[in-house]
Structures are given as C-alpha cells and as structure tokens.
Amino acid sequence: MSTVGTLKECVQLPIKDNELVDIVQKAKDWAIMHGAAMRSKSNFSPDTLNFAPFVLVPSSFPRKEFERAIHLQPTINRLMHNVAHDEEFLTTTLADTIKVDEFTGNLFNVYKKVLANGFGQAITLGLLRSDYLAHTFDDNTIRQVEINTVASSFGGISTYMMPLQSYVLRELNQAEKIARMPKNDALAGLCDGMIKAWEIYANPKAVIMFIIEDVSYNICDQRFHEFYIREKCPHIKVLRKTLTQVHDEGKLGLNKELLIGKEEVAVIYFRAGYEPGHYPSHNEWDARYLMECSRAIKCPSIHYHLAGTKKVQQALAVPGVLDRFLNDPEEIKAVTKIFTGLYSLEDNETGNATYEMALKSPEKFVLKPQREGGGNNIYGIDIPSALKKMSRFERSAWILMDLIHPPISRGYMIRPSGPVPPPVVDMVSELGIFGVIIGDVDNIICNYEAGHMLRTKLSTANEGGVAAGLGALDSPYLID
Ligand code: ADP
Ligand code: MG
C-alpha cells in the first residue's frame, strides 16, 4: 500500500540493542502475566498461551482525530440502531446481494422468517466497533474503514495495552510520555452493556450465553468479558456454547424463553456466527433462528447483524441517505466527513460506471465482499482480474471503496517467535472505537462510547488482522 506522511514517534529510535533485548523480554512477560495473550494457531494447546502480538511503545495518532472519533460514537450507535430497525431500507439495499451471496442470503432468510413470525424480543443490545484510518492526503483526518455490529473483538485485551505500554515507558525512563495516552475502559464499558441488558430481561435466575467458535484462539479477550461479569455480578452465570450445541441443547419455553438444558438465557453475546465456517450444517442456521425467535436479548439481533454488512455501509454513503436516519444537520455533516468514496457494483448504470472506474485505476481502490474477520478483500492491481472473472450478477455482492492512505509511524512489533532484538519497522495504525446501545424501535435506553483499540500493521501489508498474524495490538500516543 502506498503511503505518504509520517508521524513523529513517541520515543527516540532506535533503542540500544542491550536495552531493547531486556525491555522486550520484560514486556512479553508482562503481556502473558496480564492476559494480553492468545492461543497459538500453529501449536495449539488449551493449556498454554502465547502473548498477543503487540507494539512495544504506543504509536502516534492525531489527538484531534482521536477525539473526533470518540465524540462521534453515540451518533454512529444511533445511526446503526435506526438502520437496523428500517426493514424497507435493509430489504431494498440487500436485495441484489442476497441473490448472489449465499451467506448474507441465509442471514436475510432468518430475518424474513422472524419478521413473519414476530420478534420474540423487541430490545436489542449493540456492542459496536467503528474502525478508522487517518488519511494523509487530507491532513490526517479519519476515514471510516468499516463498522462492526457482530463479535466486535479486542475490547478485553485492548484495555491492557495502555498499562503494558505505560510499564514499558516507565522502564525506559520516559514516564512523562504516559500523559499523552488516553485511558481506556473498553472492557468495563462493553460488559456493563451486557449486564444492563441482563437487568432489563429481569429474571434473576437467567444467564448470559456467549456463542463461541469450535476453537477460540482469541480466548483471553473472551474470558476477560466473562470474568468481568462474574466478578462484578457473581449472581450472573455465564455459559459458553457453539451454534451446534445450541441446536442440540436449546429449545423455547412456553413464553419464548430460550432454554439451554434447564438454564434460561437472558442475553446472547455472539462471538461467532459471522462467517460461513461457523455454520457447518443446517443445524447451526436452525439454532440461529431459534435464538432470534426467543425472548433472549441478542447481541446482535439479526437486523443489527445485517445493518453491519459492507453493502449497507456503501448504501449509507450515497448522498442524502443519512437524512433518513439522523435529524440533526450537524450530525449528518460529521458522519459524512468520515465516509470515504464507497461505490455500488450492482447490475445497473451506476454499478457499470463503478466497474469501468475500477478497471481504469485499480490502484485507488479496495474491493470488498460481504464478509467479516479479515483476509477477504482484494486490493489495487488485483482488482481487474478479480472483477473480470465475475458475472455482472456476481459483482453486485461486492462493493468498491477508495483506498485510505494512513500516515507511517516507526516502531517495534513484537510477536511470538519473532526476531530478538526486533528491527525498527514502518507501521500504520487503525483505530477502533467501541459503542454500546440498547433499545427497541421506539426507544433508546442507553447509548454511549465505550473505549477504544488500536491495531497496527506493517505499512506494506494490506490488512492487519491480529488473529491472522499480520497485525499487533497497540494503543494511541496522542500528538497535536
Ligand atoms: P473485515 O470485515 O474483514 O475486518 P475491513 O473492511 O475491516 O474488513 O478490511 C480489513 C482490513 O483491510 C482493514 O482492517 C484495513 O487494514 C484494510 N482496509 C479495508 N478498507 C480499506 C481502505 N478503504 N483503505 C485502506 N485499507 C483498508
Ligand atoms: Mg475490519
């Protein structure tokens, strides 16, 4: 990815080799001992943890833009809440996509079936994360990469990144730098949202259920949520179940209560269910439908999940569309400012124009399907051959987006089995802001910003998935 612009680093680089080797080992141990860790994919064992890849000292991020993202989050929450509750908008926007994209089609089928049979629960819980890159071509103002409405991860581990990097700065005798690191209560903010939803459900015996993958590599992040809830509210039991287990063990009671064995479920928190591999058979889709029909408060409900698709993101960027969901012109202006160019590839005049534009200057764009979890996008010069292989019909399941060019910062990326001492590398950072919203179609019961995460990747990598091994956890060092 070509980038211009650099940000001044938090500490003078390079750090001398002997000092670096020492501080890296201390930081790795700090990370493992505080649970900034994951299961190894290459050497999996349920008995051991590796530290999660991290950046040694905090990466610079423009303060003004950080604050812009923080202040905007309640508006983003409300926007997504209103989009999720607009049946006509979701149906029209996704009409072509669901004909081609089987996974989105299956999600939509669940939605249609629930609409036909009536929602078992009007209230939804949104634990969202809006992701941004600063754009060097526009004075480092932020642009939204995407909005996550399902399984928004790393709120747990990210909460520990500021303490980890503060420790490193103190060991480097640079404690004065800590003042520029914003505090981060993502874990508490997100979990308090789940607890609030549990209270709204109002059955003191009911449990919170996490929907998990068959194997959870990002186990610490999930367990942080579970342990927080158990510690703050020991009376709330937390279950962890796969979609397959929900199919095998779940049923509805007389009043649409979701029963897993004898336990009634108050809140369902999806940490899985956002990619096709999580549904190996029809049973898992039946389980999803069962949950949607139930009285349990879902995080997210199916309509929230659909509102988080890339196609909906693109549709929201069409001029005038935000007016449908937000009233305040200032808010509309503020949201419009974070959008970058997003283009439809539908089988019509607009879509054909997008297609021609992508073939003419592919280096300006990224091509995205309706998928979550990283590794699915197509970048720059790879776009024309990918597009040419698709029929006009198939193209409508994709969107095209302007590439954002984030500024470079230099630093040390520390990963399990990585080189010691690590080299200084060029990196770019993606900021995620968490948001919590609870409500039904008519009322919003609570709506707040809930902390942040910073994920940093090599400037040469297209994507920086931490679980995928390309990115590293980080936290911002705010510069003016
Ligand atoms: P996913 O749902 O797989 O996380 P994203 O839209 O977040 O999909 O894209 C994955 C990654 O690709 C992002 O984290 C970012 O690093 C990179 N990326 C996505 N869109 C853009 C863009 N418009 N410009 C630059 N990089 C992008
Ligand atoms: Mg993403």
Side-chain angles (χ1 to χ4, degrees):
M1 188 188 301
S2 69
T3 37
V4 296
T6 53
L7 297 174
K8 188 166 165 30
E9 290 94 25
C10 164
V11 301
Q12 176 97 38
L13 298 173
I15 299 171
K16 280 201 236 69
D17 271 2
N18 54 351
E19 195 182 3
L20 185 59
V21 170
D22 181 55
I23 188 64
V24 165
Q25 191 56 46
K26 284 182 189 168
K28 286 179 182 176
D29 289 341
W30 195 103
I32 293 172
M33 291 173 64
H34 291 78
M38 301 172 99
R39 297 253 196 266
S40 166
K41 277 197 171 157
S42 56
N43 201 3
F44 179 83
S45 159
D47 297 344
T48 56
L49 293 169
N50 281 342
F51 65 85
F54 65 92
V55 179
L56 188 64
V57 292
S59 295
S60 297
F61 199 90
R63 179 188 299 276
K64 206 163 80 216
E65 297 307 308
F66 177 83
E67 285 168 358
R68 184 204 301 281
I70 292 277
H71 288 140
L72 198 57
Q73 191 59 37
T75 304
I76 301 273
N77 292 344
R78 189 153 28 82
L79 168 65
M80 296 316 291
H81 186 83
N82 292 344
V83 171
H85 287 93
D86 191 328
E87 181 190 340
E88 193 202 335
F89 181 75
L90 287 182
T91 306
T92 331
T93 302
L94 293 169
D96 282 357
T97 304
I98 59 174
K99 287 185 204 146
V100 198
D101 186 280
E102 195 188 343
F103 181 67
T104 314
N106 284 334
L107 290 174
F108 201 82
N109 280 343
V110 172
Y111 177 54
K112 277 279 151 205
K113 276 199 312 193
V114 187
L115 276 174
N117 294 329
F119 284 90
Q121 174 59 262
I123 291 173
T124 68
L125 164 64
L127 300 182
L128 316 180
R129 200 187 71 218
S130 183
D131 290 340
Y132 304 93
L133 291 168
H135 188 45
T136 43
F137 294 171
D138 187 18
D139 207 14
N140 285 335
T141 49
I142 46 165
R143 295 288 184 280
Q144 187 179 50
V145 174
E146 67 157 344
I147 172 104
N148 300 283
T149 58
V150 59
S152 310
S153 60
F154 288 116
I157 299 184
S158 290
T159 301
Y160 289 83
M161 291 315 294
M162 191 263 188
L164 165 59
Q165 292 173 325
S166 304
Y167 164 73
V168 169
L169 288 173
R170 279 194 301 273
E171 293 301 298
L172 293 173
N173 288 321
Q174 306 205 34
E176 73 285 358
K177 307 269 167 76
I178 297 168
R180 285 182 177 269
M181 298 181 70
K183 80 175 195 357
N184 189 10
D185 284 330
L187 179 63
L190 295 170
C191 293
D192 289 344
M194 279 193 259
I195 293 167
K196 177 79 184 161
W198 180 89
E199 286 165 357
I200 291 169
Y201 189 83
N203 174 353
K205 292 209 185 87
V207 305
I208 297 181
M209 176 168 72
F210 289 20
I211 298 297
I212 54 165
E213 319 90 318
D214 290 336
V215 180
S216 299
Y217 295 101
N218 199 4
I219 186 72
C220 297
D221 192 57
Q222 295 181 13
R223 289 284 191 211
F224 275 133
H225 292 75
E226 178 179 343
F227 297 163
Y228 178 98
I229 294 168
R230 295 292 293 145
E231 193 166 330
K232 184 163 178 186
C233 303
H235 51 288
I236 306 179
K237 192 167 162 185
V238 173
L239 299 183
R240 288 169 59 82
K241 296 284 175 189
T242 64
L243 287 168
T244 315
Q245 288 170 323
V246 173
H247 171 264
D248 295 345
E249 301 168 27
K251 61 172 196 288
L252 293 192
L254 289 177
N255 296 312
K256 295 193 176 178
E257 319 85 290
L258 178 65
L259 301 169
I260 301 289
K262 290 204 176 77
E263 308 277 13
E264 179 173 343
V265 179
V267 177
I268 308 173
Y269 173 49
F270 285 89
R271 287 298 295 244
Y274 55 82
E275 65 174 43
H278 297 158
Y279 300 81
S281 74
H282 211 273
N283 292 347
E284 290 72 23
W285 285 110
D286 289 346
R288 182 79 192 255
Y289 176 61
L290 180 81
M291 291 186 277
E292 292 302 327
C293 291
S294 79
R295 280 189 60 210
I297 298 177
K298 271 78 67 182
C299 175
S301 298
I302 190 72
H303 41 304
Y304 252 81
H305 190 160
L306 290 169
T309 53
K310 309 274 191 297
K311 183 66 198 170
V312 167
Q313 184 190 3
Q314 177 262 311
L316 288 175
V318 173
V321 170
L322 283 177
D323 302 17
R324 184 173 174 137
F325 303 106
L326 298 172
N327 296 323
D328 179 356
E330 286 305 313
E331 280 192 323
I332 294 172
K333 214 167 105 190
V335 175
T336 307
K337 193 166 162 57
I338 59 156
F339 286 165
T340 188
L342 286 145
Y343 314 92
S344 148
L345 277 159
E346 276 163 27
D347 185 10
N348 56 29
E349 221 173 284
T350 315
N352 293 342
T354 304
Y355 176 75
E356 296 303 330
M357 181 172 77
L359 293 193
K360 204 167 147 220
S361 37
E363 68 289 347
K364 291 186 182 153
F365 303 107
V366 47
L367 181 65
K368 298 188 179 184
Q370 308 306 309
R371 287 289 172 278
E372 302 295 328
N376 302 298
N377 301 338
I378 295 171
Y379 293 83
I381 53 165
D382 295 333
I383 293 175
S385 61
L387 276 181
K388 281 180 193 161
K389 276 192 217 127
M390 296 176 204
S391 68
R392 283 163 167 262
F393 193 50
E394 285 167 336
R395 286 200 311 249
S396 46
W398 296 69
I399 63 153
L400 193 76
M401 182 175 187
D402 285 345
L403 262 183
I404 309 162
H405 294 271
I408 289 180
S409 60
R410 294 185 318 141
Y412 298 105
M413 211 178 252
I414 316 297
R415 54 180 68 260
S417 310
V420 181
V424 174
V425 288
D426 284 353
M427 309 180 296
V428 296
S429 299
E430 182 170 338
L431 177 69
I433 306 292
F434 293 101
V436 175
I437 184 160
I438 304 177
D440 62 19
V441 63
D442 300 316
N443 286 305
I444 290 177
I445 301 165
C446 66
N447 175 12
Y448 55 90
E449 169 272 312
H452 60 271
M453 74 169 286
L454 196 72
R455 210 174 6 168
T456 295
K457 64 180 181 185
L458 293 179
S459 65
T460 46
N462 281 325
E463 296 196 12
V466 176
L470 291 167
L473 294 170
D474 199 350
S475 50
Y477 177 74
L478 299 180
I479 55 171
D480 298 301

